[in-house]
Amino acid sequence: MLRTIGKRLALLVPTLFGLSLLLFLWVRSLPGGPATALLGDKATPEAVAQVNRLYGFDKPFIEQYLTYMGKLLTGDFGVSLRTGRPVLDEFATRFPATLELTAIALVFAVGLGIPLGYWAAKHVGRWQDQFSVFLSLGGVVIPVFFLAFILKWIFAIRLGWFPTDGRQNPRINATHVTDYYVLDGFLTQEWDAAWDAFMHLVLPGIALGTIPLAIIVRITRASVLEVVNADYVRTARAKGISATLIRNRFVLRNAMLPVTTTIGLQLGLLISGAVLTETVFAFNGIGRFLRDAIFYLDYPVLQGFIIFIAVIYSLINLLVDVSYNLIDPRVRVQ
Amino acid sequence: MTMDGLNTTGPRRPRRRFAALTATLAIGALALSACAESQRGDDAAAEGDVDSTFIFAASADPASLDPAFASDGESFRVSRQIFEGLVGVEAGTPDPEPLLAESWEQSDDGLSYTFQLKDGVTFHDDTSFNAEAVCANFDRWYNWEGVQQASSVSYYYNSLFKGFADSPENAVYESCAVDDELTATVNLREPFAGFIAALSLPAFAMQSPTALEEYDADGVSGTPEAPVLSSYATEHPVGTGPFEFVSWENGQQIELTAYEDYWGEQGQVQDIIFRVIDDPTTRRQSLEAGDIDGYDLVAPADTASLADKGFNIMARDPFTILYLGFNQEIEELADIKVRQAFAHAIDKDALIAQTLPEGTKPALQFIPDSVNGYNDDVTEYEYDPEKAKDLLAEAGYEDGFEIDFNYPTGVSRPYMPTPEQVFSNISAQLEEVGITVNPQPNKWSPDYLDRIQGGPDHGIHLLGWTGDYNDTDNFVGVHFGTPKEDFGFENQELFDKLAEARGIPDVDEQTPLYEEINADIVDFLPVLPLAHPAPSLGFSPRVESYPVSPVNDEVFNQIVLSE
């Protein structure tokens, strides 16, 4: 197991290397090059030359790339052109927000998705099944942006049950220890702060979690149906093993295998999906910052953030494979 | 296919467990929110029956907390709470009045200004405000070098005081002398009639010399395009204003708190939170949901509905101009008859009624009537589509012509809350007289200004201006004082007159010349002035009054709250 993990981590290095090269090429292929991205396409040749000199864009490509990689390896991701702060700092201050949001979305998607999928499988062909299929179809079809907007309009603005935007009510004087606001509330025992931070996560969490929810429902349903009809389940039933035991030991455990993979893949998508949700709820995470970076062609941020997301995505995939190993002994043998 | 085996026992228990969990969560939620409610209630009662925290939605983070290195409205909104200048602004007008200086005297040649300073004023770091502090600030600006001199970094000093210590031949400022503890004299190299009014700009606010030094305020690195500011400008701004800085969570909020030893009235607001909400719809929704107390630049379409729901809508006295720019590089537009045809083709009243906020006034000339040199007697181009058609025919365009019409998208400006609507309205009016419009939408950032100001590749365009302080040159001089790509014309006579007016040391003596210039501009028609839009602010019902100012000089210690 450890060897597998080691191998996978080692594989991450060339992957990221390739990605960084592609990104680097991409930024330099923007019309007119990065100097134009910075100054606009009406910039005078003198200004372009000055910027090229300042940033070293006039040096040979290989030299530029090696300098960039050298800095990257020492944790220097450059400075955001828009805010003038180090990319790493910008990322660090916003990442907890997005992670918190992603966690809630995942809890929502998994917590509701697995029972719903199971419920549908159990009542296959009946209204419960159709209801679940309809629900999951809706989840995939409705754009995240639109859903976020509708949820906000109904539950925050019309009904006033939830806050409209942000991570915390500024009127609550919360102490921040870790920058994970809900956790901070628990750590400092400021219960109202924890609750307030949680309430801020509910609507964006649901909006963000809906697509994964829909997918998890369908995968769980299909997977449970498959396992239920498997020979070993029939045999177990024939042997008179109790229904609860069959459900827990045989059906759920085996059916969870494809679901785990799906959850892992969805987690990566959640982080990128946060761009839209965070925009609607003015949520100060990496999603909204990435959107601004695209808007302002803030390419040090774009380069840095995409590499971060790639690392996270790769690590999640690794985690999925590890959990696969733990759930299914057959994978281990192979 | 059946699942009988599963059906017999399993399902009930989990459902019940789920219900129990939901109930627990719900009860917990209620209990917690009730407890949060009561805590807030107690706090409010203790501080004189009003919630003394005022939450205002900003549309972006400030660019810098050091106003000397800022030129954007969001930076100035925050810095006006923290800093004060020698000169302030008379409430509700754009006119200068004493603030940290109690009075001043101008020498006969207009080159020296002696300021008598207010006594007993301290900076937030307990440094005394005195003549030495005044000179320290002037000398700081004058001695900037390198990146600090870039107009993207020190825009206002650059554009108003022209030169620095390393290029004294261009500089307006010469020196500053400490006459005694509370008297300072500023010497200029050339007369500058707008000097006092310019000092009311937040960029020239007084900052604590000790803090400037301690946090290396001038330590700006990076490049002119992407300057990296010092920790003073991001974490330690120190002024004499009613509020002092607490924290800035980038992209989220800025918090200020009342300065205990403030020399003036503290007012009801004890804590200010500027929440960063960049989407206009989200700002409105936050106000409706009670999450914020107010925001700026309410969309015209929202003012009536917000007012109906009991929110307070307040309009600033217009200190703006919205215009249709003509690029005379384009053959048709170089003909004055064509420009006059445009002027007669547009029904300004209809445009205002349909696209601009309440309180907007139609514009007959380029400056609002509160600015020196406003001329009551300029040529008026009344709305007359037939006359427009005649003029086009006289210019040789009986069948009209087609022209590019540039307008910005993705932006809301004080002079133009909804550019797309203004564009469609004007386009329809132009089509009436036979001018076919070829829409050229450009994203405001980063494209629009580059397109209009960076080259000749544009047709007619929409743009505007918000005055910084009460100075005619700040409107007409900025726009028509030199050849500009925006308008693509050479009119040496006009350029000369504007240069002459700027050099007259006394504002009253400037008046007749500016009146003449304003009439000339209307006759020459480099742009068609459309309207002086009134920017609106929206507030929660608990905001009884807010110090609306045409030049945005709105300090929150003057806010009156009812609950």
Side-chain angles (χ1 to χ4, degrees), chain B residues 196-227:
Chain B
I196 290 295
L199 290 186
S200 68
L201 279 168
F204 304 120
M206 292 293 120
Q207 312 201 26
S208 158
T210 35
L212 287 171
E213 198 168 325
E214 186 178 351
Y215 301 106
D216 189 26
D218 289 332
V220 185
S221 57
T223 64
E225 292 75 26

mmCIF file of all heavy atoms in Angstrom, chain B residues 196-227:
data_model
loop_
_atom_site.group_PDB
_atom_site.id
_atom_site.type_symbol
_atom_site.label_atom_id
_atom_site.label_comp_id
_atom_site.label_asym_id
_atom_site.label_seq_id
_atom_site.Cartn_x
_atom_site.Cartn_y
_atom_site.Cartn_z
ATOM 1 N N ILE B 196 -6.176 75.620 -3.001
ATOM 2 C CA ILE B 196 -6.944 75.357 -1.774
ATOM 3 C C ILE B 196 -7.999 74.282 -2.031
ATOM 4 O O ILE B 196 -8.145 73.327 -1.254
ATOM 5 C CB ILE B 196 -7.588 76.667 -1.264
ATOM 6 C CG1 ILE B 196 -6.486 77.597 -0.728
ATOM 7 C CG2 ILE B 196 -8.638 76.387 -0.201
ATOM 8 C CD1 ILE B 196 -5.741 77.083 0.490
ATOM 9 N N ALA B 197 -8.723 74.416 -3.147
ATOM 10 C CA ALA B 197 -9.760 73.418 -3.455
ATOM 11 C C ALA B 197 -9.127 72.036 -3.625
ATOM 12 O O ALA B 197 -9.674 71.026 -3.165
ATOM 13 C CB ALA B 197 -10.507 73.818 -4.717
ATOM 14 N N ALA B 198 -7.940 71.993 -4.241
ATOM 15 C CA ALA B 198 -7.289 70.704 -4.461
ATOM 16 C C ALA B 198 -6.926 70.035 -3.137
ATOM 17 O O ALA B 198 -6.979 68.811 -3.010
ATOM 18 C CB ALA B 198 -6.030 70.891 -5.302
ATOM 19 N N LEU B 199 -6.581 70.860 -2.136
ATOM 20 C CA LEU B 199 -6.190 70.273 -0.842
ATOM 21 C C LEU B 199 -7.354 69.570 -0.148
ATOM 22 O O LEU B 199 -7.160 68.846 0.821
ATOM 23 C CB LEU B 199 -5.613 71.354 0.083
ATOM 24 C CG LEU B 199 -4.240 71.905 -0.310
ATOM 25 C CD1 LEU B 199 -3.739 72.863 0.773
ATOM 26 C CD2 LEU B 199 -3.222 70.789 -0.516
ATOM 27 N N SER B 200 -8.583 69.786 -0.644
ATOM 28 C CA SER B 200 -9.717 69.077 -0.041
ATOM 29 C C SER B 200 -9.796 67.636 -0.543
ATOM 30 O O SER B 200 -10.584 66.840 -0.047
ATOM 31 C CB SER B 200 -11.021 69.805 -0.339
ATOM 32 O OG SER B 200 -11.331 69.716 -1.722
ATOM 33 N N LEU B 201 -8.965 67.290 -1.516
ATOM 34 C CA LEU B 201 -8.944 65.902 -1.998
ATOM 35 C C LEU B 201 -8.348 64.980 -0.940
ATOM 36 O O LEU B 201 -7.355 65.322 -0.308
ATOM 37 C CB LEU B 201 -8.074 65.806 -3.253
ATOM 38 C CG LEU B 201 -8.699 66.205 -4.576
ATOM 39 C CD1 LEU B 201 -7.627 66.337 -5.639
ATOM 40 C CD2 LEU B 201 -9.716 65.158 -4.993
ATOM 41 N N PRO B 202 -8.932 63.787 -0.767
ATOM 42 C CA PRO B 202 -8.385 62.855 0.225
ATOM 43 C C PRO B 202 -6.906 62.540 -0.016
ATOM 44 O O PRO B 202 -6.179 62.231 0.918
ATOM 45 C CB PRO B 202 -9.230 61.597 0.031
ATOM 46 C CG PRO B 202 -10.474 62.054 -0.617
ATOM 47 C CD PRO B 202 -10.121 63.258 -1.435
ATOM 48 N N ALA B 203 -6.457 62.642 -1.271
ATOM 49 C CA ALA B 203 -5.063 62.320 -1.569
ATOM 50 C C ALA B 203 -4.103 63.248 -0.833
ATOM 51 O O ALA B 203 -2.942 62.904 -0.624
ATOM 52 C CB ALA B 203 -4.816 62.414 -3.075
ATOM 53 N N PHE B 204 -4.581 64.442 -0.438
ATOM 54 C CA PHE B 204 -3.701 65.385 0.248
ATOM 55 C C PHE B 204 -4.037 65.488 1.736
ATOM 56 O O PHE B 204 -3.798 66.509 2.369
ATOM 57 C CB PHE B 204 -3.757 66.752 -0.438
ATOM 58 C CG PHE B 204 -3.410 66.662 -1.902
ATOM 59 C CD1 PHE B 204 -4.299 67.039 -2.880
ATOM 60 C CD2 PHE B 204 -2.184 66.127 -2.283
ATOM 61 C CE1 PHE B 204 -3.974 66.916 -4.225
ATOM 62 C CE2 PHE B 204 -1.850 65.993 -3.629
ATOM 63 C CZ PHE B 204 -2.746 66.391 -4.598
ATOM 64 N N ALA B 205 -4.585 64.423 2.293
ATOM 65 C CA ALA B 205 -4.907 64.402 3.722
ATOM 66 C C ALA B 205 -3.618 64.314 4.528
ATOM 67 O O ALA B 205 -2.591 63.867 4.036
ATOM 68 C CB ALA B 205 -5.800 63.214 4.024
ATOM 69 N N MET B 206 -3.705 64.758 5.774
ATOM 70 C CA MET B 206 -2.534 64.754 6.656
ATOM 71 C C MET B 206 -2.355 63.368 7.296
ATOM 72 O O MET B 206 -3.296 62.789 7.825
ATOM 73 C CB MET B 206 -2.715 65.805 7.757
ATOM 74 C CG MET B 206 -2.685 67.227 7.231
ATOM 75 S SD MET B 206 -1.030 67.646 6.599
ATOM 76 C CE MET B 206 -1.394 68.018 4.893
ATOM 77 N N GLN B 207 -1.127 62.876 7.245
ATOM 78 C CA GLN B 207 -0.842 61.559 7.810
ATOM 79 C C GLN B 207 0.218 61.697 8.892
ATOM 80 O O GLN B 207 1.032 62.619 8.857
ATOM 81 C CB GLN B 207 -0.345 60.645 6.698
ATOM 82 C CG GLN B 207 -1.228 60.712 5.459
ATOM 83 C CD GLN B 207 -1.090 59.504 4.573
ATOM 84 O OE1 GLN B 207 -0.734 58.424 5.020
ATOM 85 N NE2 GLN B 207 -1.368 59.666 3.295
ATOM 86 N N SER B 208 0.205 60.778 9.833
ATOM 87 C CA SER B 208 1.138 60.868 10.960
ATOM 88 C C SER B 208 2.572 60.643 10.488
ATOM 89 O O SER B 208 2.907 59.571 9.981
ATOM 90 C CB SER B 208 0.777 59.815 12.001
ATOM 91 O OG SER B 208 1.903 59.552 12.798
ATOM 92 N N PRO B 209 3.445 61.651 10.671
ATOM 93 C CA PRO B 209 4.827 61.476 10.217
ATOM 94 C C PRO B 209 5.521 60.292 10.899
ATOM 95 O O PRO B 209 6.306 59.591 10.259
ATOM 96 C CB PRO B 209 5.498 62.790 10.602
ATOM 97 C CG PRO B 209 4.392 63.760 10.821
ATOM 98 C CD PRO B 209 3.213 62.964 11.253
ATOM 99 N N THR B 210 5.224 60.063 12.179
ATOM 100 C CA THR B 210 5.880 58.934 12.862
ATOM 101 C C THR B 210 5.447 57.600 12.272
ATOM 102 O O THR B 210 6.266 56.715 12.040
ATOM 103 C CB THR B 210 5.567 58.927 14.374
ATOM 104 O OG1 THR B 210 4.248 59.395 14.564
ATOM 105 C CG2 THR B 210 6.536 59.774 15.149
ATOM 106 N N ALA B 211 4.147 57.484 11.999
ATOM 107 C CA ALA B 211 3.666 56.216 11.429
ATOM 108 C C ALA B 211 4.191 56.028 10.012
ATOM 109 O O ALA B 211 4.551 54.910 9.618
ATOM 110 C CB ALA B 211 2.145 56.178 11.431
ATOM 111 N N LEU B 212 4.251 57.115 9.257
ATOM 112 C CA LEU B 212 4.765 57.017 7.884
ATOM 113 C C LEU B 212 6.169 56.434 7.909
ATOM 114 O O LEU B 212 6.534 55.591 7.089
ATOM 115 C CB LEU B 212 4.801 58.396 7.224
ATOM 116 C CG LEU B 212 3.464 59.010 6.809
ATOM 117 C CD1 LEU B 212 3.645 60.458 6.372
ATOM 118 C CD2 LEU B 212 2.824 58.214 5.680
ATOM 119 N N GLU B 213 6.946 56.895 8.904
ATOM 120 C CA GLU B 213 8.321 56.433 8.988
ATOM 121 C C GLU B 213 8.379 55.006 9.538
ATOM 122 O O GLU B 213 9.038 54.139 8.971
ATOM 123 C CB GLU B 213 9.101 57.380 9.898
ATOM 124 C CG GLU B 213 10.590 57.245 9.704
ATOM 125 C CD GLU B 213 11.326 58.387 10.399
ATOM 126 O OE1 GLU B 213 10.778 59.520 10.417
ATOM 127 O OE2 GLU B 213 12.398 58.142 10.935
ATOM 128 N N GLU B 214 7.640 54.790 10.613
ATOM 129 C CA GLU B 214 7.694 53.479 11.279
ATOM 130 C C GLU B 214 7.332 52.340 10.326
ATOM 131 O O GLU B 214 7.952 51.282 10.349
ATOM 132 C CB GLU B 214 6.744 53.488 12.476
ATOM 133 C CG GLU B 214 6.853 52.221 13.311
ATOM 134 C CD GLU B 214 5.933 52.260 14.522
ATOM 135 O OE1 GLU B 214 5.346 53.324 14.806
ATOM 136 O OE2 GLU B 214 5.802 51.198 15.179
ATOM 137 N N TYR B 215 6.314 52.545 9.501
ATOM 138 C CA TYR B 215 5.873 51.451 8.632
ATOM 139 C C TYR B 215 6.328 51.635 7.190
ATOM 140 O O TYR B 215 5.759 51.068 6.278
ATOM 141 C CB TYR B 215 4.346 51.295 8.712
ATOM 142 C CG TYR B 215 3.892 51.001 10.115
ATOM 143 C CD1 TYR B 215 3.265 51.981 10.877
ATOM 144 C CD2 TYR B 215 4.133 49.757 10.697
ATOM 145 C CE1 TYR B 215 2.875 51.735 12.177
ATOM 146 C CE2 TYR B 215 3.742 49.499 11.999
ATOM 147 C CZ TYR B 215 3.115 50.491 12.734
ATOM 148 O OH TYR B 215 2.735 50.232 14.027
ATOM 149 N N ASP B 216 7.334 52.459 7.015
ATOM 150 C CA ASP B 216 7.974 52.626 5.719
ATOM 151 C C ASP B 216 6.957 52.891 4.600
ATOM 152 O O ASP B 216 6.919 52.180 3.597
ATOM 153 C CB ASP B 216 8.805 51.365 5.409
ATOM 154 C CG ASP B 216 9.665 51.557 4.169
ATOM 155 O OD1 ASP B 216 9.984 52.729 3.879
ATOM 156 O OD2 ASP B 216 9.999 50.570 3.499
ATOM 157 N N ALA B 217 6.149 53.932 4.816
ATOM 158 C CA ALA B 217 5.048 54.215 3.888
ATOM 159 C C ALA B 217 5.503 54.398 2.444
ATOM 160 O O ALA B 217 4.774 54.092 1.519
ATOM 161 C CB ALA B 217 4.293 55.453 4.350
ATOM 162 N N ASP B 218 6.712 54.929 2.273
ATOM 163 C CA ASP B 218 7.165 55.182 0.904
ATOM 164 C C ASP B 218 7.858 53.975 0.278
ATOM 165 O O ASP B 218 8.315 54.039 -0.851
ATOM 166 C CB ASP B 218 8.102 56.401 0.881
ATOM 167 C CG ASP B 218 7.330 57.683 1.140
ATOM 168 O OD1 ASP B 218 6.124 57.709 0.814
ATOM 169 O OD2 ASP B 218 7.906 58.629 1.688
ATOM 170 N N GLY B 219 7.901 52.892 1.018
ATOM 171 C CA GLY B 219 8.551 51.684 0.500
ATOM 172 C C GLY B 219 7.701 50.957 -0.526
ATOM 173 O O GLY B 219 7.280 49.823 -0.316
ATOM 174 N N VAL B 220 7.434 51.630 -1.642
ATOM 175 C CA VAL B 220 6.645 51.006 -2.705
ATOM 176 C C VAL B 220 7.600 50.257 -3.626
ATOM 177 O O VAL B 220 8.576 50.837 -4.104
ATOM 178 C CB VAL B 220 5.894 52.069 -3.538
ATOM 179 C CG1 VAL B 220 4.989 51.398 -4.551
ATOM 180 C CG2 VAL B 220 5.106 52.968 -2.622
ATOM 181 N N SER B 221 7.333 48.988 -3.853
ATOM 182 C CA SER B 221 8.180 48.253 -4.787
ATOM 183 C C SER B 221 7.328 47.808 -5.970
ATOM 184 O O SER B 221 6.207 48.269 -6.131
ATOM 185 C CB SER B 221 8.809 47.056 -4.081
ATOM 186 O OG SER B 221 7.796 46.249 -3.545
ATOM 187 N N GLY B 222 7.841 46.908 -6.762
ATOM 188 C CA GLY B 222 7.088 46.447 -7.924
ATOM 189 C C GLY B 222 7.240 47.409 -9.079
ATOM 190 O O GLY B 222 8.237 48.122 -9.190
ATOM 191 N N THR B 223 6.241 47.420 -9.951
ATOM 192 C CA THR B 223 6.320 48.226 -11.157
ATOM 193 C C THR B 223 5.165 49.216 -11.176
ATOM 194 O O THR B 223 4.209 49.061 -10.412
ATOM 195 C CB THR B 223 6.170 47.327 -12.393
ATOM 196 O OG1 THR B 223 4.855 46.761 -12.347
ATOM 197 C CG2 THR B 223 7.198 46.218 -12.399
ATOM 198 N N PRO B 224 5.237 50.209 -12.057
ATOM 199 C CA PRO B 224 4.114 51.150 -12.135
ATOM 200 C C PRO B 224 2.790 50.436 -12.436
ATOM 201 O O PRO B 224 1.745 50.848 -11.956
ATOM 202 C CB PRO B 224 4.499 52.059 -13.301
ATOM 203 C CG PRO B 224 5.979 51.992 -13.378
ATOM 204 C CD PRO B 224 6.337 50.608 -12.947
ATOM 205 N N GLU B 225 2.841 49.353 -13.211
ATOM 206 C CA GLU B 225 1.598 48.645 -13.557
ATOM 207 C C GLU B 225 1.111 47.806 -12.401
ATOM 208 O O GLU B 225 -0.077 47.600 -12.226
ATOM 209 C CB GLU B 225 1.809 47.734 -14.775
ATOM 210 C CG GLU B 225 2.064 48.463 -16.060
ATOM 211 C CD GLU B 225 3.475 49.037 -16.109
ATOM 212 O OE1 GLU B 225 4.363 48.480 -15.425
ATOM 213 O OE2 GLU B 225 3.680 50.033 -16.813
ATOM 214 N N ALA B 226 2.045 47.279 -11.622
ATOM 215 C CA ALA B 226 1.659 46.416 -10.509
ATOM 216 C C ALA B 226 2.472 46.791 -9.280
ATOM 217 O O ALA B 226 3.331 46.056 -8.846
ATOM 218 C CB ALA B 226 1.892 44.960 -10.893
ATOM 219 N N PRO B 227 2.185 47.988 -8.717
ATOM 220 C CA PRO B 227 2.962 48.400 -7.560
ATOM 221 C C PRO B 227 2.637 47.538 -6.345
ATOM 222 O O PRO B 227 1.503 47.098 -6.178
ATOM 223 C CB PRO B 227 2.503 49.845 -7.321
ATOM 224 C CG PRO B 227 1.184 49.964 -7.994
ATOM 225 C CD PRO B 227 1.155 48.967 -9.099
#
